[in-house]
Amino acid sequence: PARRGGCEMAAWARAVRGLLLDVSGVLYDSGGEGGGVPIAGSVEAVRRIKASGLKLRFCTNETQATREQFVKKLQGLGFDISVAEVTAPAPAACRILKERNLRPHLLVHNDLVPEFAEIDKTNPNCVVIGDAAENFSYANLNEAFRLLIGMEKPVLISLGRGRYYKETDGLKLDVGAYMKALEYACDIQAEVVGKPAKTFFESALAEMGLPPQQAIMIGDDIVNDVGGAQRCGMRALQVRTGKYRPCDENHPQVKPDAYVNNLAEAVDIILQQL
Amino acid sequence: PARRGGCEMAAWARAVRGLLLDVSGVLYDSGGEGGGVPIAGSVEAVRRIKASGLKLRFCTNETQATREQFVKKLQGLGFDISVAEVTAPAPAACRILKERNLRPHLLVHNDLVPEFAEIDKTNPNCVVIGDAAENFSYANLNEAFRLLIGMEKPVLISLGRGRYYKETDGLKLDVGAYMKALEYACDIQAEVVGKPAKTFFESALAEMGLPPQQAIMIGDDIVNDVGGAQRCGMRALQVRTGKYRPCDENHPQVKPDAYVNNLAEAVDIILQQL
């Protein structure tokens, strides 16, 4: 059966009980430093999902702000969204830290630190790295490295594995690049929290109370959104907004269950099946 | 035939006409910021090599100083060494840049910049990365990344691939870690100049006018010194000084042609065969 184009979604879209939405590139385009503009039709699309009775989670790899700050920005752009609806890497990392009695040294953005307020950070036995931006200094990287190399079994938890992203003043190296530097120096593998980690999608599903067969992921990132969700047993749509590029449609490993021009079109098609 | 222990070196050591010596960890132990102490017997060992008529090259991956500064430091420690006897990554990189009409953007230590004085650096079409130390800032790494990702075919030349090194104030991430960050962000492979690159050892041999069968490498680094030289067709000895660790003797890929306690012992044994 053809898997491209919205019109072929009929069969499996009928089973859907919930949606997982990526945020940057699906709801809005980031302008760096707290700015951004909504993608046409997305504000209304979120309202229509909520009115339909479908369950909804916002699944983001954003780690430059607390969920409170992040949600406030989106509300300012007109979105109907609350902190309780957001699945993000920092809270997922906190669960892992608690479960395994890990005390992190944080190499993260200053604005993310409050997410770890409840976590014991004395005498660290692991390092948590996020998109630290200006905090990715020579001194801070050496400090994180020395702590890791001094551990009997170094544990590095990375809030995502992105290569780079664009802000108004140009491209910036993302957390994945610095994760690779520490992995190489210590000859270790980081544990990635956030998309495309299976546990991250499973958390979002658990929060919705749905099995993967009843949920659809909608994202602009062919690997982290679409590939990650599919490995979890979900269907996944790629929008042609945000970081989407035409060459994604020839990706050697990942094929979305369907392409849609934007979130509004995805919601049109899905709601027609209900 | 047994390949361990100096006494088995007799057969092949007789063919030797020249020696390649690693510097840090073989001649002296680095104390950071220009300091250091000679390893016992090494000053005299260099004198004895020169008096024997064997050819001699100092092969270093040092990129935090010009060869002039580097040699001056070693002379200050008592070594008989001149700039013309040193094979180092920066001049090797300059040869590659000239051959291929490459105009580098430099992400290197300030003290290394004079090595590139003759090279056209306008409108860069490649990036050269060395052990930049404090110059490994967030802004400088983003700048190097933007230049690379903006090239039709990004060229990244790395002056070595070391993971980390020790200075008096602690361990520091080496150039290899930052090379990996840029490789991952741009989805490219760096071209490594310096040990263990085959071309680097071949340059040193050409400078001595010897085929690999007539030269012996002596170093403390099982991979970069011993493995690299052996892949070039040379014999290679590992000294039990510098960064040598007992677990090196169980290295899964590399077996030195012999172990020696230090440079002085290596020279004792080699000169006995002549």
Side-chain angles (χ1 to χ4, degrees):
Chain A
R3 294 179 75 179
R4 297 204 174 194
C7 51
E8 286 85 11
M9 288 168 53
W12 49 265
R14 252 171 244 144
V16 68
R17 295 293 172 267
L19 300 181
L20 290 80
L21 304 189
D22 177 34
V23 178
S24 178
V26 176
L27 267 51
Y28 80 114
D29 280 320
S30 171
E33 288 303 317
V37 285
I39 291 170
S42 286
V43 168
E44 184 57 25
V46 170
R47 276 207 204 96
R48 291 168 64 206
I49 296 168
K50 292 196 167 182
S52 75
L54 285 175
K55 294 188 179 182
L56 178 60
R57 293 296 298 174
F58 300 95
C59 266
T60 180
N61 267 9
E62 169 70 31
T63 63
Q64 276 207 7
T66 59
R67 281 166 299 166
E68 281 74 12
Q69 293 163 322
F70 181 67
V71 159
K72 203 173 163 191
K73 178 172 76 176
L74 289 163
Q75 288 171 340
L77 295 176
F79 288 99
D80 178 0
I81 182 174
S82 68
V83 170
E85 295 169 318
V86 175
T87 302
C94 286
R95 278 194 299 276
I96 291 171
L97 295 169
K98 283 178 191 161
E99 276 166 23
R100 288 160 56 186
N101 290 315
L102 291 171
R103 298 177 308 274
H105 169 81
L106 300 177
L107 178 52
V108 301
H109 196 285
N110 290 346
D111 289 346
L112 194 70
V113 174
E115 291 272 18
F116 296 88
E118 310 279 294
I119 302 286
D120 180 8
K121 292 179 282 289
T122 56
N123 187 19
N125 58 3
C126 80
V127 168
V128 171
I129 184 175
D131 175 15
E134 298 289 344
N135 281 346
F136 281 135
S137 66
Y138 180 62
N140 286 350
L141 282 159
N142 280 334
E143 187 186 7
F145 163 67
R146 276 177 216 144
L147 283 165
L148 282 171
I149 203 80
M151 293 171 193
E152 198 182 338
K153 199 181 172 318
V155 174
L156 174 61
I157 295 176
S158 187
L159 306 178
R161 53 183 301 125
R163 293 168 189 270
Y164 61 92
Y165 55 86
K166 192 176 181 175
E167 288 194 339
T168 39
D169 59 341
L171 298 175
K172 308 281 175 76
L173 289 169
D174 199 359
V175 59
Y178 292 96
M179 172 192 86
K180 284 287 169 184
L182 291 174
E183 282 187 341
Y184 177 73
C186 302
D187 198 14
I188 58 171
Q189 284 264 307
E191 301 175 35
V192 178
V193 176
K195 298 177 287 189
K198 205 173 174 192
T199 50
F200 190 69
F201 288 105
E202 287 169 348
S203 289
L205 288 169
E207 287 154 351
M208 301 170 89
L210 292 179
Q213 300 77 16
Q214 294 182 6
I216 298 175
M217 173 78 205
I218 303 175
D220 65 335
D221 188 314
I222 182 75
V223 171
N224 290 309
D225 294 327
V226 175
Q230 288 178 331
R231 271 205 313 279
C232 245
M234 275 182 266
R235 301 280 181 164
L237 311 185
Q238 188 177 14
V239 290
R240 293 193 180 100
T241 56
K243 72 170 75 166
Y244 163 86
R245 293 177 306 168
C247 66
D248 289 345
E249 306 206 11
N250 304 312
H251 194 281
Q253 275 90 45
V254 184
K255 289 277 167 243
D257 292 280
Y259 292 93
V260 286
N261 287 320
N262 49 46
L263 179 62
E265 190 186 87
V267 172
D268 278 345
I269 296 167
I270 291 166
L271 296 189
Q272 279 166 23
Q273 311 302 327
L274 296 184
Chain B
R3 296 179 75 179
R4 297 204 174 194
C7 50
E8 286 86 10
M9 287 168 53
W12 49 267
R14 252 170 244 142
V16 69
R17 295 293 172 267
L19 301 181
L20 291 80
L21 305 189
D22 176 34
V23 178
S24 177
V26 175
L27 266 51
Y28 80 114
D29 281 319
S30 173
E33 288 302 317
V37 286
I39 290 169
S42 287
V43 168
E44 184 57 24
V46 170
R47 277 207 204 95
R48 290 169 64 205
I49 295 167
K50 292 195 169 182
S52 74
L54 286 175
K55 294 187 180 182
L56 178 60
R57 293 296 298 173
F58 300 95
C59 267
T60 180
N61 267 9
E62 169 71 29
T63 62
Q64 275 206 5
T66 59
R67 281 166 301 167
E68 283 73 12
Q69 294 162 322
F70 181 66
V71 159
K72 203 172 163 192
K73 178 172 77 176
L74 289 163
Q75 287 171 341
L77 296 176
F79 288 99
D80 179 0
I81 181 172
S82 68
V83 170
E85 296 169 317
V86 175
T87 301
C94 286
R95 277 194 299 277
I96 290 171
L97 295 170
K98 283 179 192 161
E99 277 167 21
R100 289 162 54 187
N101 291 315
L102 291 171
R103 299 178 306 277
H105 168 80
L106 299 177
L107 178 51
V108 301
H109 197 284
N110 291 346
D111 289 347
L112 194 71
V113 174
E115 291 272 17
F116 297 87
E118 310 278 296
I119 303 287
D120 180 8
K121 292 177 281 288
T122 56
N123 188 18
N125 57 4
C126 80
V127 168
V128 171
I129 184 175
D131 176 15
E134 298 290 344
N135 281 346
F136 281 133
S137 65
Y138 180 62
N140 286 350
L141 281 159
N142 280 334
E143 187 187 5
F145 163 67
R146 277 177 215 145
L147 284 164
L148 282 170
I149 203 81
M151 293 171 192
E152 200 182 338
K153 199 182 172 318
V155 174
L156 174 61
I157 294 175
S158 186
L159 306 178
R161 54 183 301 127
R163 293 168 190 270
Y164 61 91
Y165 54 87
K166 191 175 180 176
E167 288 195 340
T168 38
D169 58 342
L171 297 175
K172 307 281 174 76
L173 289 169
D174 199 358
V175 60
Y178 291 96
M179 173 193 87
K180 285 286 169 185
L182 292 174
E183 282 187 341
Y184 177 74
C186 302
D187 197 15
I188 58 171
Q189 283 265 308
E191 301 175 33
V192 178
V193 176
K195 298 177 285 188
K198 205 172 173 193
T199 51
F200 190 69
F201 288 105
E202 286 168 348
S203 289
L205 288 168
E207 286 153 353
M208 300 169 87
L210 292 179
Q213 299 77 16
Q214 294 182 7
I216 298 175
M217 174 77 205
I218 304 175
D220 65 334
D221 188 315
I222 182 75
V223 171
N224 290 309
D225 294 326
V226 175
Q230 288 177 332
R231 271 204 313 279
C232 246
M234 275 181 265
R235 301 281 181 165
L237 312 185
Q238 188 176 14
V239 289
R240 293 192 179 102
T241 56
K243 70 171 76 165
Y244 163 87
R245 293 176 305 170
C247 65
D248 290 345
E249 306 206 11
N250 302 315
H251 193 281
Q253 276 90 46
V254 185
K255 290 275 167 244
D257 292 280
Y259 292 92
V260 287
N261 286 321
N262 49 47
L263 178 62
E265 189 186 88
V267 172
D268 278 346
I269 297 168
I270 292 167
L271 296 188
Q272 278 167 22
Q273 312 301 328
L274 296 184

